[in-house]
Amino acid sequence: MTYNSRSQRVRSDYILPLNQSKDSRKKEKPVACFSSMDAKTGSPLTRREFAVVLSGAAVAARTVDGKGRGESKRRVYLVPNFHPASCGWLTTFSKERMYCANSYLNQLDRVRDDPNYEFAMSEVNNIIAIMDFQPQRISELKERIRQKRVELVNAYFLESTINLSGGEALMRLGVEGLRWYGQVFGLEPRFSWNIDTCGAHEQMPQIATELGLKAFVYTRKNPTGKTIFWSVSPDGSKILTLCPGHYAEASEIFKTKQPLTAAQLEDLGKLFDGKEAITPAQAPILVLAGSGDYSLAPVLKSYPTQFLKQWKQAQTGRRIGFSTLGKYFDAIEPHITSGEIQIPTFSGGTDYSFDAFWIENPRVKTLYRRNEQALQATEILATAASLKADHAYPVDDLYRAWILMCLNMDRNTLWGSAGGMVFVDPKSWDVQDRFDWVERTTAKAAQSAGRALLGSGSSFGTINPLNWTRTDPAVLHLPAGMSIEGAGCEAMPGGAVLCELEMGPVRASAWSLSSHSPRSPESIALPHTIETDHYSVRIDARTGAIVSLKWKPGNREILSAPANVIVAERPAHTRPNASPGDFMPARPERTRLTDSNAKASAIDVVRGPVATTVTVSGTFYGGGTIRRTMHFYHRHPRIDLETELNDIPNFTVVVAEFPLAEEIADVRRGIPFGFSHSRKKGIVPAIRWIDYELSNGGGFAILDRGCTGRELDGRIPIIYLLNAEDKYYGYPNPWLSGKGRDVLQYSLIAHPEAWADARIPQRAWEYNCAPIELSNCASHSLPSFVETSANLILEALRREDDHLEMRLVESVGAGGTARIKLNLPHESAALSDALGRTKSVLKKGPEYVFAVRPQQIVTLRFKAASSLPIPPPVKTWNHFVPKDKLSALHAYNSHLIGHPPSGG
């Protein structure tokens, strides 16, 4: 396709002052506007090109206040963008990528046809779709990017939710996105483009700066009232933040089929006028523009050029133009750096919206958590094996596993809010397929690396990927009829064995097996009080609720009323057209339908060498069965809970509540790479844990494996178990529905000491990251591969190119000294950012000591003696897709464009 006619190659990053005369235009050079230009980036505009620019090309401020001569109001940058759910929302992955590819090509067509149109493009998987369906357009896309009329705006592989994955998964999303763009397009996007997030946590500024990004962009829950501000993480990292409003404003320009009327132009003027008060003084105005989700180029083919002529003729006193985000950033950044533009500073996380996203579809959230923890653990093990046992590090497989985890971090996927065909579909590649691929790949890689390290024999091996000694009870799958010599071993239903082991930090251990079968627990009557080393607990003999929990020493009561009570609720009022799959009111605005105390339950108690287990069975709301299992360990403080729900009716919210006896002094909840130190109202997302500090000291923590929703109702912490919705936007979704069986796992720790001394983040990691098991291994154990100070959590250890990459985070929110000892072969070490850019070289190890800031994300690079190949970028999904689903993946329909339809 030809598009290179001189009349179409407009350099919209040059602009003339509005009142510059024709004669002076001959004498003066073009004025750099949205970004500076030089001879290397292109030649000056021709006379004809200047005339085109005058018709209304994207403009920027020549002066700090964003106004040109003859203008009474600040200029406006309109940044068109296309905003989908790129891995499926209301249709399958295979069809979604057609909608995305065709819609982006529609935008690219307008860049070709109208010299005044520009737009922001996001997400690697959308580009891969274009490569598959219209490969001849890729060279055109690259040329438009070179001309700066299309911007690859987003550094991440795709637009994910930022509140539901672990920290390392979110960092890999950025690393793999930047790597892909560098390998395929030879450039690095500059922005953390998160325009559809529903709240932002405190660590995003640090994550973005570690990725080398220049600005953080989002649109909801602006905490400052200004469109430009500094966002600051707990460690002091700060980043320029753009929060201009909705991501699809000025929609009339894109929707209209006829030229806008004078009244409509006036309405647009009011929109822009409304931005004056919230835009910092001296700065031009930014508007993210579009018709809404899945926005296309303007329907009217003569737009935007005709629109810009109309606007100019209206003499509004305000210059506007279509732009990329980078040009706006380049216009404001020098003046913010110099202090000419003053902007506020914000430290902390924002509030949240779309509250249903945090509480529903625990199946997808649990699968994601399980797979990301397994992938991180496998990388650690494979790294050790490659350096200690001459094992081939599986470069390609681990890279590809992260790419699939990136896809399953897509917003509607991990929110769990989509049609059921996104998660499971008989013809199209789906979420379950991707999880299955990652699970198979990591399991195979872990077993191969473990065997290389421990060799073959008659012992049983465990690998602890955590960087501290753990003693939490481990569920292991030992050979039938055997136990571990010298360890407490308790038989569990289904053949697993509950074992008490002490596993050293980042260590491969071999355990001798005994021919003595693990002891089966004995049935006993429900004790009046269940005593453990750490607490005493009483269970209601009628309902199975926990009616008393007292920690030792001190015998202080934690509860004010029955706890682990399962409650069915429903919103008292629903806004018109507000899907409960998107919006859920806070607990005070819901009606209590029933709870597990309403009826008597059958209670079964068994006591074994490791735990006392209480199982409570009965019926629940809707007539389905409910089964609650509680494990009280004799020598460990964690209380593990499991609630099985069956056939919960549509439009039902199910929670577990824990009324506390004391006022709550503070709340800390896990977020990616750290914790939030706040008491947010309403429903909030939590990663692995939340801790409630009590007014008289000590605290109460709730851990989870994928039940991410939390809320505090007065002195009653609740954890969300299910938001039962049979359909989402008219499409059935079995994963979202309450029909059938759902098993929800969560855990409690009541601690008399402070939360940091109780090591709540570490306990939550233990709960989520089981040791890797290895049967038939040799009888020798290995020393720890990594040893660290107690204030660090190891998130990653992997091999890349000629180095080892280690990522940790300071875990208690206090500055101090970090100590790391790497017991693997290496030559030197340096602190770096997430992309490997060196910050400082460390003194020769193997022990390294350096200062850390509160919640600092620390990346170290250790020089290795050998190099590994850099994996080629994924540019096709064929390697991953089941053969019977390839035909759907490559089917193409050019008519699928814009917004996919709702169901029903």
Side-chain angles (χ1 to χ4, degrees):
M1 179 174 294
T2 59
Y3 59 91
N4 282 332
S5 66
R6 293 288 293 174
S7 63
Q8 292 170 343
R9 282 194 297 109
V10 174
R11 300 298 298 280
S12 57
D13 45 338
Y14 285 96
I15 182 61
L16 294 168
L18 280 177
N19 60 353
Q20 191 174 37
S21 69
K22 181 178 179 181
D23 290 339
S24 65
R25 198 163 60 238
K26 291 180 180 178
K27 298 175 183 178
E28 295 186 17
K29 295 181 179 180
V31 179
C33 175
F34 287 4
S35 61
S36 61
M37 303 291 293
D38 57 32
K40 293 182 179 180
T41 59
S43 57
L45 298 177
T46 66
R47 185 185 186 92
R48 185 174 181 181
E49 287 172 324
F50 277 126
V52 174
V53 172
L54 281 176
S55 71
V59 299
R62 291 192 70 214
T63 56
V64 179
D65 65 3
K67 301 175 186 176
R69 285 171 289 177
E71 295 178 9
S72 59
K73 301 177 181 180
R74 286 186 276 181
R75 299 182 180 185
V76 174
Y77 288 67
L78 294 169
V79 179
N81 63 92
F82 170 72
H83 183 62
S86 63
C87 289
W89 177 34
L90 303 179
T91 187
T92 64
F93 177 93
S94 300
K95 288 185 178 179
E96 181 79 49
R97 69 197 218 110
M98 292 187 223
Y99 280 99
C100 293
N102 293 334
S103 299
Y104 266 130
L105 292 175
N106 167 273
Q107 300 259 13
L108 192 60
D109 287 344
R110 192 57 52 89
V111 172
R112 176 196 64 204
D113 297 336
D114 192 310
N116 295 310
Y117 194 68
E118 302 180 1
F119 71 93
M121 187 172 188
S122 178
E123 304 189 292
V124 167
N125 48 319
N126 288 329
I127 298 177
I128 291 176
I130 295 174
M131 289 176 169
D132 278 344
F133 298 136
Q134 296 285 336
Q136 73 279 7
R137 301 296 297 271
I138 295 298
S139 60
E140 176 187 356
L141 174 62
K142 289 181 176 180
E143 176 63 14
R144 296 309 185 194
I145 293 167
R146 189 193 66 79
Q147 295 173 353
K148 298 190 177 182
R149 297 185 59 201
V150 176
E151 181 178 23
L152 299 181
V153 70
N154 185 17
Y156 302 105
F157 197 88
L158 50 62
E159 294 181 37
S160 74
T161 172
I162 62 174
N163 296 302
L164 292 173
S165 72
E168 185 60 21
L170 191 52
M171 191 71 84
R172 294 309 294 176
L173 188 81
V175 170
E176 298 301 354
L178 289 166
R179 175 186 289 171
W180 195 94
Y181 285 116
Q183 289 174 321
V184 178
F185 282 85
L187 55 82
E188 287 187 358
R190 296 187 288 166
F191 304 113
S192 181
W193 177 260
N194 306 107
I195 60 174
D196 195 25
T197 57
C198 303
H201 59 80
E202 288 89 325
Q203 288 291 58
M204 281 305 297
Q206 189 180 179
I207 291 170
T209 55
E210 285 295 301
L211 291 167
L213 306 183
K214 300 302 183 183
F216 177 30
V217 188
Y218 63 95
T219 61
R220 296 188 181 96
K221 297 299 180 181
N222 187 330
T224 68
K226 292 295 183 180
T227 61
I228 312 170
F229 53 93
W230 293 110
S231 290
V232 184
S233 282
D235 81 315
S237 300
K238 73 175 185 177
I239 192 167
L240 189 67
T241 303
L242 306 177
C243 196
H246 196 270
Y247 52 72
E249 297 188 280
S251 61
E252 299 91 335
I253 300 170
F254 296 82
K255 292 179 178 179
T256 187
K257 297 180 180 179
Q258 301 294 330
L260 294 179
T261 64
Q264 289 173 311
L265 291 172
E266 184 178 353
D267 287 341
L268 272 176
K270 293 177 181 177
L271 169 68
F272 302 145
D273 291 344
K275 300 286 186 183
E276 291 279 353
I278 62 175
T279 302
Q282 310 297 322
I285 291 169
L286 172 65
V287 174
L288 302 184
S291 61
D293 288 345
Y294 296 84
S295 178
L296 303 174
V299 173
L300 190 60
K301 299 294 186 183
S302 58
Y303 271 28
T305 290
Q306 184 181 5
F307 163 74
L308 292 171
K309 289 180 179 179
Q310 289 180 275
W311 186 263
K312 183 178 180 181
Q313 291 167 358
Q315 297 184 346
T316 63
R318 187 188 301 282
R319 189 76 177 266
I320 65 176
F322 291 77
S323 173
T324 61
L325 180 69
K327 293 176 181 178
Y328 180 80
F329 174 83
D330 289 338
I332 63 170
E333 192 271 339
H335 302 296
I336 291 172
T337 300
S338 69
E340 295 171 273
I341 297 177
Q342 297 286 324
I343 61 174
T345 298
F346 173 74
S347 299
T350 71
D351 291 331
Y352 294 90
S353 59
F354 285 85
D355 306 279
F357 293 165
W358 320 126
I359 68 175
E360 62 197 5
N361 203 333
R363 184 178 304 186
V364 72
K365 294 172 171 66
T366 300
L367 284 170
Y368 197 93
R369 182 80 56 79
R370 183 191 306 161
N371 276 270
E372 70 173 331
Q373 298 278 187
L375 180 51
Q376 288 168 258
T378 299
E379 285 187 315
I380 293 171
L381 179 56
T383 298
S386 71
L387 296 168
K388 285 285 193 178
D390 197 28
H391 173 70
Y393 187 86
V395 174
D396 290 342
D397 281 348
L398 295 179
Y399 161 69
R400 291 167 176 172
W402 275 118
I403 295 300
L404 296 198
M405 293 301 288
C406 290
L407 292 183
N408 277 355
M409 210 190 303
D410 186 37
R411 298 179 315 288
N412 283 89
T413 295
L414 197 44
W415 286 337
S417 302
M421 77 292 281
V422 173
F423 302 96
V424 177
D425 189 84
K427 296 182 179 179
S428 176
W429 195 38
D430 56 43
V431 169
Q432 183 70 68
D433 291 330
R434 293 191 280 279
F435 280 137
D436 288 346
W437 195 96
V438 173
E439 185 174 6
R440 289 193 305 269
T441 300
T442 54
K444 180 181 178 181
Q447 289 295 305
S448 178
R451 294 201 176 283
L453 278 169
L454 289 176
S456 298
S458 59
S459 296
F460 188 86
T462 60
I463 294 94
N464 173 24
L466 306 179
N467 58 304
W468 58 87
T469 297
R470 61 191 297 177
T471 58
D472 55 308
V475 177
L476 302 178
H477 300 84
L478 303 177
M482 304 195 80
S483 59
I484 291 179
E485 191 74 44
C489 292
E490 180 177 317
M492 299 183 71
V497 181
L498 186 63
C499 298
E500 290 180 310
L501 300 174
E502 182 176 295
M503 291 176 276
V506 198
R507 188 178 184 192
S509 302
W511 309 92
S512 298
L513 292 173
S514 168
S515 58
H516 295 290
S517 297
R519 274 181 52 191
S520 296
E522 298 177 356
S523 294
I524 61 172
L526 177 66
H528 178 268
T529 302
I530 298 172
E531 299 282 350
T532 77
D533 289 353
H534 296 276
Y535 56 83
S536 64
V537 65
R538 287 195 297 111
I539 305 296
D540 188 298
R542 176 181 174 272
T543 66
I546 301 173
V547 292
S548 175
L549 177 60
K550 298 178 180 180
W551 60 46
K552 299 176 180 179
N555 209 35
R556 182 167 137 209
E557 180 60 65
I558 305 303
L559 302 176
S560 65
N564 199 33
V565 175
I566 311 304
V567 185
E569 301 175 336
R570 182 167 292 164
H573 305 285
T574 303
R575 289 183 294 165
N577 301 318
S579 167
D582 288 344
F583 301 99
M584 182 58 59
R587 195 179 204 203
E589 301 172 48
R590 300 199 300 267
T591 300
R592 194 180 185 106
L593 302 172
T594 191
D595 61 46
S596 56
N597 281 350
K599 298 178 181 179
S601 297
I603 299 179
D604 178 73
V605 184
V606 297
R607 180 180 175 87
V610 179
T612 298
T613 300
V614 179
T615 303
V616 184
S617 303
T619 57
F620 193 55
Y621 181 63
T625 59
I626 180 174
R627 181 183 177 94
R628 285 171 289 164
T629 304
M630 296 170 277
H631 299 282
F632 303 101
Y633 302 113
H634 306 323
R635 288 166 288 277
H636 194 274
R638 208 174 68 209
I639 301 173
D640 289 349
L641 307 176
E642 181 178 283
T643 295
E644 176 189 314
L645 301 171
N646 290 275
D647 296 324
I648 299 298
N650 196 22
F651 304 130
T652 305
V653 181
V654 182
V655 306
E657 63 182 11
F658 300 89
L660 299 180
E662 299 176 12
E663 293 296 327
I664 296 169
D666 205 350
V667 180
R668 298 172 179 86
R669 61 184 167 86
I671 60 175
F673 280 132
F675 63 91
S676 174
H677 188 93
S678 63
R679 294 188 63 165
K680 303 287 184 192
K681 292 184 178 180
I683 303 168
V684 296
I687 305 299
R688 301 187 188 93
W689 64 276
I690 193 166
D691 185 82
Y692 302 92
E693 181 181 318
L694 301 178
S695 57
N696 292 323
F700 182 81
I702 304 176
L703 320 181
D704 76 275
R705 287 176 174 159
C707 297
T708 54
R710 304 287 196 281
E711 188 176 354
L712 183 60
D713 179 19
R715 293 195 317 209
I716 307 175
I718 65 174
I719 180 171
Y720 283 83
L721 304 183
L722 201 63
N723 179 28
E725 308 293 330
D726 290 346
K727 293 184 177 181
Y728 184 84
Y729 282 69
Y731 291 108
N733 185 345
W735 284 22
L736 194 59
S737 170
K739 294 178 180 177
R741 176 175 178 263
D742 286 281
V743 178
L744 300 314
Q745 295 180 325
Y746 47 108
S747 187
L748 312 176
I749 297 179
H751 52 94
E753 64 271 75
W755 76 281
D757 293 331
R759 295 175 63 78
I760 296 303
Q762 285 83 355
R763 296 288 181 246
W765 271 80
E766 291 172 356
Y767 184 59
N768 280 272
C769 190
I772 296 171
E773 302 176 48
L774 193 72
S775 59
N776 300 317
C777 68
S779 59
H780 66 281
S781 297
L782 300 175
S784 294
F785 305 125
V786 179
E787 301 171 75
T788 75
S789 49
N791 57 345
L792 299 174
I793 290 178
L794 176 68
E795 291 256 359
L797 177 63
R798 62 175 61 87
R799 292 196 64 176
E800 289 193 341
D801 196 11
D802 62 350
H803 61 269
L804 284 67
E805 179 180 77
M806 180 187 293
R807 191 142 35 241
L808 312 98
V809 65
E810 194 282 324
S811 64
V812 297
T817 300
R819 295 180 181 274
I820 296 170
K821 186 176 182 182
L822 179 62
N823 299 316
L824 294 172
H826 64 283
E827 298 175 358
S828 60
L831 291 168
S832 74
D833 65 8
L835 299 180
R837 292 178 283 231
T838 299
K839 295 180 179 179
S840 62
V841 176
L842 297 176
K843 186 179 178 180
K844 179 66 176 176
E847 183 172 85
Y848 302 93
V849 181
F850 51 90
V852 288
R853 301 184 298 274
Q855 297 195 58
Q856 182 183 354
I857 303 165
V858 177
T859 302
L860 296 100
R861 291 212 162 187
F862 301 91
K863 185 72 168 62
S866 60
S867 296
L868 298 177
I870 297 173
V874 168
K875 293 194 285 187
T876 176
W877 307 120
N878 292 347
H879 178 80
F880 310 101
V881 178
K883 290 182 179 179
D884 60 346
K885 295 186 177 185
L886 283 171
S887 60
L889 182 76
H890 292 291
Y892 180 56
N893 182 345
S894 62
H895 299 293
L896 295 182
I897 192 169
H899 202 304
S902 296

